[in-house]
């Protein structure tokens, strides 16, 4: 060994931007060729798209019909109810972002940035007031939540649990607020057949996701049950539903359910679609969860049993928490595909965002504007799907603390 | 106390089959309260299976097992009672990876014993001090070394204040430098008067701590005696052969 050891830096061609380019894009002659060809393709397509988007495209089809895209045929003079729901949700989101750290806070910051952009954009005065209200609710919620996060441990966990309950209560509250009551002057009834656009898409997805989760978990546990009746029922249900396309289930909910119901009883179309989607998603979710249950080593169960825990406690505290963590990616994937599958409600006549798009295109004024409309709808779906995906990655990372 | 005369575990003619495979062929063993019994024998001889029948992780198919006056039958309540009186530590630690060390230890006291939270946590912290790692209470198992994890597993079993502790090769999965820290905890536990059955090949531990050594081969007890009897004058050829192989 030499007494005078110098730290030798890596060669200049291996570090920094130049090193990165060299290593990843120009390492061999054929990689160089591929890089150049790809750059040409990206440039040509990108520049043509930009030229089209900035000159030829008539985005008026979106801006003029924005209310339709958002709420469909919801009576315009009652749209304040939807805004109010959004403000309540903003407040809760702000509270959540304040009281929890990490992902929720990042998403909250993203939401705040979105609201700021919306406030700046040249909307009508009424719309702008609601945007400001949303931003305000988010900020107030955040400050309150942040204050609560400084509370001592036991009080904070009470606040967190309270907030979770508040979210669930709010979902029910929102449903009543939107629906209203027959004969009420302030909140006249607005039947769910008048709900539409993104509002309806969200309702379909959100309620189906929330309702399918517990059903799916129970089915997964049921399929592994030692009681033959329970396990046979669960298996039959899962295999039957998975063997049928969602479209078929939606048609059945549409056409067959009324046949079996007693004469006067009628169930709203929206509800039937939600039930169909929930039952469909639950079957797939059950199989995801079952995969997670099987991945838990038997030693975990034995260790818990040896401590004297009974089967219910072992499932509740040891098996399920670990299994559900393992299947977060699979379940979020399922929820994303459910979110996109809400567009299938078009075939049973619901006015969700895609079918609003079709009716907009049917207006004489906007004939032939398919590209703009479908791009806009695709962008909406992409943004929300990506947020879900991002949240799931963050959740995985956050829950991975105790990973083996 | 009359505990040194009381038989706390009584196994009579215990048989066990895995499908057609006869793994326990009539085991008779009685353990007195406060006694430390080391079970050893070749791999596949049924020693792990045997101690797992004592807290019914394995079901025996013939014979009787009586633990602290309760016979192990199909009665679920009996099994639950017996399991809460027996602590078990296994080769693979089997800590719950999604819970902190403290939560691992307090889970059963909170939900099986129904102790209030502060009492359970107080006992857990005392046990962590006893096994020498109180500073790890709020970490997750994956952040601990193997030796520390096994000591947490011992603390977790002790938190239920069991009358009997079963150890199923507790040091076999550990790196050599961590074996001692676990054996020290076990030695201290034995000296405190705990009834212990240990399946282990740590012969130094057996020699200094065990009251009795039991050699199991092919599903049967071949020979048993005090450590000095087993080490200096084993009576059976199989015992001699096995000891010569592991002592080298």
């Amino acid at each position: 060994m030499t007494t005078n050891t110098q730290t030798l830096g890596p060669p200049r061609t291996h570090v920094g931007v130049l090193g990165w380019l060299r290593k990843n894009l120009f390492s061999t002659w054929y990689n160089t060729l591929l890089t150049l060809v790809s750059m040409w393709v990206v440039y040509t397509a990108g520049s043509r798209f930009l030229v089209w988007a900035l000159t030829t495209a008539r985005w008026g089809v979106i801006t003029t019909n924005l209310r339709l895209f958002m709420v469909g045929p919801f009576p315009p003079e009652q749209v304040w109810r939807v805004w109010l729901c959004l403000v309540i949700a903003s407040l809760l989101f702000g509270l959540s972002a304040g009281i929890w750290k990490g992902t929720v806070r990042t998403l909250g910051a993203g939401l705040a940035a979105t609201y700021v952009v919306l406030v700046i954009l040249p909307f009508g005065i009424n719309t702008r007031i609601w945007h400001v209200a949303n931003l305000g609710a988010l900020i107030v919620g955040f400050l309150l939540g942040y204050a609560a996060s400084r509370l001592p441990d036991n009080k904070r966990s009470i606040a967190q649990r309270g907030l979770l309950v508040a979210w669930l209560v709010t979902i029910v509250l929102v449903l009543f607020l939107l629906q209203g009551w027959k004969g009420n002057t302030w909140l006249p009834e607005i039947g769910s057949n008048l709900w539409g656009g993104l509002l309806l898409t969200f309702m379909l997805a959100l309620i189906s996701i929330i309702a399918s989760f517990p059903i799916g978990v129970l089915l997964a546990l049921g399929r592994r049950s030692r009681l033959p009746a329970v396990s046979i029922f669960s298996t039959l249900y899962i295999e039957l539903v998975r063997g049928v396309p969602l479209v078929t289930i939606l048609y059945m909910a549409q056409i067959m359910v009324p046949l079996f119901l007693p004469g006067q009883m009628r169930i709203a179309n929206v509800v039937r679609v939600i039930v169909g989607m929930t039952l469909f998603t639950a079957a797939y979710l059950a199989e995801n969860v079952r995969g997670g249950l099987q991945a838990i080593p038997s030693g975990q169960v034995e260790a818990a049993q040896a401590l004297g825990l009974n089967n219910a406690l072992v499932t509740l505290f040891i098996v399920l928490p670990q299994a559900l963590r393992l299947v977060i990616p699979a379940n979020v994937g399922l929820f994303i595909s459910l979110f996109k599958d809400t567009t299938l409600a078009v075939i049973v006549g619901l006015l969700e965002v895609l079918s609003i798009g079709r009716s907009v295109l049917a207006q004489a004024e906007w004939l032939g504007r398919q590209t703009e409309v479908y791009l806009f709808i695709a962008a909406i779906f992409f943004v929300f799907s990506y947020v879900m995906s991002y949240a799931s990655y963050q959740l995985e990372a956050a829950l991975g603390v105790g990973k083996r | 106390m009359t505990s040194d005369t009381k038989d706390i575990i009584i196994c009579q003619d215990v048989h066990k089959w895995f499908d057609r495979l006869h793994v326990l062929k009539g085991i008779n063993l009685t353990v007195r309260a406060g006694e430390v019994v080391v079970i050893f024998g070749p791999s596949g001889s049924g020693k792990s299976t045997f101690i797992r029948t004592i807290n019914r992780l394995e079901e025996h198919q013939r014979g009787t097992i009586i633990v602290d006056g309760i016979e192990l039958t199909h009665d679920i309540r009996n099994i639950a009672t017996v399991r809460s009186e027996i602590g078990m530590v296994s080769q693979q630690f089997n800590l719950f990876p999604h819970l902190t060390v403290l939560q691992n230890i307090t889970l059963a006291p909170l939900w099986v014993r129904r102790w209030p939270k502060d009492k359970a946590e107080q006992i857990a912290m005392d046990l962590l001090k006893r096994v020498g790692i109180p500073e790890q209470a709020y970490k997750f198992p994956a952040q601990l070394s193997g030796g520390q994890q096994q000591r947490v597993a011992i603390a977790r079993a002790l938190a239920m204040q069991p009358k009997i502790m079963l150890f199923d090769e507790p040091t076999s999965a550990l790196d050599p430098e961590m074996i001692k820290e676990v054996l020290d905890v076990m030695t201290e536990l034995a000296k405190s008067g705990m009834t212990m059955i240990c399946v282990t090949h740590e012969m130094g531990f057996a020699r200094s701590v065990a009251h009795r050594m039991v050699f199991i081969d092919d599903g049967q007890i071949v020979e048993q005696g005090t450590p000095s009897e087993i080490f200096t004058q084993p009576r059976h050829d199989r015992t001699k052969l096995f000891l010569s192989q592991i002592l080298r």
Side-chain angles (χ1 to χ4, degrees):
Chain A
M1 267 203 196
T2 51
T3 45
N4 186 13
T5 35
Q6 272 187 326
T7 18
L8 200 61
R12 196 171 303 164
T13 48
H14 286 245
V15 288
V17 181
L18 226 66
W20 186 89
L21 283 175
R22 212 183 147 92
K23 189 177 153 214
N24 293 296
L25 298 179
F26 301 101
S27 54
T28 58
W29 67 265
Y30 49 87
N31 277 350
T32 308
L33 189 68
L34 271 177
T35 303
L36 292 176
V37 171
S38 319
M39 277 165 83
W40 178 77
V41 170
V42 169
Y43 171 75
T44 320
S47 59
R48 283 191 189 181
F49 173 76
L50 274 182
V51 168
W52 172 83
L54 296 175
T55 58
T56 325
R58 285 177 59 205
W59 293 107
V61 64
I62 307 299
T63 49
T64 325
N65 295 302
L66 201 55
R67 192 178 50 76
L68 271 182
F69 278 113
M70 291 301 135
V71 296
F74 204 87
E77 72 282 1
Q78 295 291 335
V79 167
W80 62 270
R81 297 194 202 175
V82 183
W83 282 115
L84 188 61
C85 294
L86 263 182
V87 171
I88 297 173
S90 296
L91 182 72
L92 284 177
F93 208 100
L95 282 167
S96 308
I99 208 163
W100 282 292
K101 296 172 186 69
T103 321
V104 195
R105 206 165 272 185
T106 319
L107 291 175
L111 193 60
T114 314
Y115 284 148
V116 169
V117 171
L118 288 174
V119 169
I120 294 169
L121 284 177
F123 283 106
I125 183 70
N126 275 339
T127 312
R128 274 190 152 171
I129 290 174
W130 282 113
H131 285 154
V132 171
N134 266 324
L135 187 60
L138 191 70
I139 293 172
V140 169
F142 177 78
L143 292 176
L144 285 174
Y146 189 75
S149 76
R150 293 289 182 95
L151 290 169
D153 272 0
N154 52 345
K155 279 186 188 161
R156 190 184 57 214
S157 69
I158 291 172
Q160 287 172 338
R161 261 173 238 168
L163 194 51
L164 283 179
V165 174
W167 270 110
L168 288 178
V169 171
T170 303
I171 289 166
V172 180
L173 189 81
V174 160
L175 286 179
F176 278 109
L177 195 58
L178 292 178
Q179 172 99 38
W181 287 271
K182 210 169 257 169
N184 188 312
T185 32
W186 282 93
L187 294 171
E189 190 182 25
I190 299 173
S192 52
N193 54 328
L194 291 179
W195 302 9
L198 202 54
L199 171 70
L200 181 63
T201 300
F202 269 164
M203 285 295 165
L204 292 178
L206 195 67
I207 299 176
S208 306
I209 286 172
I210 293 172
S212 64
F213 192 79
I215 302 177
V217 171
L218 285 179
L219 281 171
L221 292 173
R223 190 162 185 177
R224 282 162 54 98
S225 167
R226 252 171 283 158
L227 306 171
V230 175
S231 98
I232 288 173
F233 170 81
S234 305
T235 310
L236 266 181
Y237 175 87
I238 291 168
E239 295 305 335
L240 212 64
V241 172
R242 289 205 313 162
V244 178
L246 178 56
V247 179
T248 320
I249 291 180
L250 293 183
Y251 270 128
M252 274 169 40
Q254 183 78 8
I255 297 159
M256 285 173 58
V257 170
L259 295 181
F260 300 134
L261 287 175
Q264 295 79 21
M265 203 175 155
R266 296 186 62 191
I267 299 181
N269 214 343
V270 173
V271 176
R272 280 185 260 158
V273 169
I274 288 178
V275 170
M277 287 188 153
T278 301
L279 296 180
F280 181 80
T281 309
Y284 281 87
L285 196 117
E287 285 299 272
N288 283 351
V289 172
R290 192 169 68 97
L293 293 174
Q294 279 170 344
I296 305 304
S298 61
Q300 289 285 311
V301 177
E302 281 176 2
Q305 284 175 336
L307 286 167
L309 277 81
N310 62 34
N311 286 340
L313 290 176
V314 173
T315 305
L316 197 62
F317 290 127
I318 305 303
V319 180
L320 262 189
Q322 296 187 56
L324 292 180
R325 253 162 244 222
L326 284 176
V327 297
I328 288 173
N331 278 350
V332 172
L334 185 64
F335 290 150
I336 288 176
S337 85
L338 168 69
F339 176 57
K340 293 184 296 183
D341 283 348
T342 54
T343 48
L344 286 175
V346 109
I347 59 166
V348 290
L350 292 192
L351 296 169
E352 50 65 61
V353 71
L354 190 63
S355 87
I356 292 289
R358 298 217 299 198
S359 64
V360 164
L361 286 170
Q363 297 169 13
E365 196 186 347
W366 305 111
L367 280 180
R369 290 291 139 201
Q370 278 88 347
T371 324
E372 289 87 338
V373 167
Y374 288 126
L375 261 179
F376 176 67
I377 294 174
I380 291 180
F381 275 100
F382 173 76
V383 167
F384 288 107
S385 301
Y386 183 76
V387 167
M388 276 198 259
S389 181
Y390 171 81
S392 119
Y393 285 127
Q394 298 302 311
L395 192 63
E396 269 171 69
L399 291 176
V401 181
K403 256 201 146 32
R404 265 176 272 277
Chain B
M1 289 277 280
T2 54
S3 64
D4 47 28
T5 56
K6 187 187 161 203
D7 293 334
I8 197 162
I9 301 174
I10 304 164
C11 303
Q12 285 171 336
D13 194 31
V14 172
H15 286 259
K16 164 86 189 167
W17 287 262
F18 286 127
D19 285 332
R20 296 272 172 88
L21 189 66
H22 201 177
V23 286
L24 298 181
K25 303 173 179 174
I27 296 215
N28 291 293
L29 185 73
T30 303
V31 178
R32 281 172 287 115
E35 199 178 8
V36 177
V37 177
V38 163
I39 297 179
F40 67 112
S43 109
S45 59
K47 40 189 203 310
S48 285
T49 308
F50 170 62
I51 73 163
R52 285 158 59 87
T53 59
I54 297 173
N55 66 351
R56 195 92 171 176
L57 286 181
E58 301 286 356
E59 190 183 319
H60 62 285
Q61 286 135 349
R62 220 170 81 192
T64 49
I65 299 176
I66 299 169
V67 178
D68 199 25
I70 300 170
E71 185 178 350
L72 283 173
T73 58
H74 285 287
D75 190 329
I76 293 175
R77 273 165 304 172
N78 280 356
I79 296 172
T81 315
V82 166
R83 279 182 180 160
S84 63
E85 300 301 335
I86 301 179
M88 185 175 211
V89 176
S90 66
Q91 186 180 350
Q92 297 302 336
F93 328 140
N94 285 326
L95 296 180
F96 308 128
H98 59 302
L99 302 177
T100 63
V101 165
L102 193 65
Q103 289 169 330
N104 262 279
I105 301 175
T106 55
L107 181 71
L110 285 175
W111 291 94
V112 179
R113 291 267 189 254
R114 295 270 169 194
W115 289 342
K117 196 173 180 194
D118 43 348
K119 179 186 176 188
E121 287 188 347
Q122 187 55 49
I123 288 173
M125 286 310 295
D126 289 346
L127 283 167
L128 280 175
K129 281 187 198 114
R130 190 169 162 192
V131 300
I133 42 174
E135 72 283 359
Q136 312 288 355
Y138 298 98
K139 290 192 184 163
F140 285 93
Q143 296 166 295
L144 271 54
S145 74
Q148 291 172 329
Q149 290 193 40
Q150 193 61 297
R151 285 188 277 163
V152 172
I154 294 173
R156 180 175 71 178
L158 290 174
M160 289 290 283
Q161 303 188 333
K163 294 178 178 160
I164 302 159
M165 285 287 287
L166 306 176
F167 291 86
D168 188 2
E169 305 205 30
T171 55
S172 305
L174 293 175
D175 290 335
E177 77 271 23
M178 293 170 183
I179 290 178
K180 184 176 175 296
E181 64 190 49
V182 172
L183 288 180
D184 285 348
V185 170
M186 289 170 63
T187 306
E188 185 267 326
L189 191 60
K191 299 238 163 85
S192 75
M194 174 67 74
T195 310
M196 288 164 62
I197 302 183
C198 313
V199 172
T200 182
H201 293 141
E202 293 296 333
M203 288 300 143
F205 169 80
R207 198 193 300 264
S208 64
V209 177
H211 299 122
R212 182 153 50 122
M213 291 179 68
V214 176
F215 179 59
I216 292 187
D217 190 12
D218 193 25
Q220 288 166 314
I221 293 180
V222 175
E223 164 162 18
Q224 51 180 307
T226 63
S228 62
E229 285 167 355
I230 295 286
F231 284 120
T232 55
Q233 43 198 336
R235 276 162 294 161
H236 285 263
D237 291 340
R238 276 193 281 175
T239 321
K240 279 180 203 163
L241 180 66
F242 183 75
L243 281 173
S244 73
Q245 279 165 345
I246 63 165
L247 292 174
R248 267 167 296 177

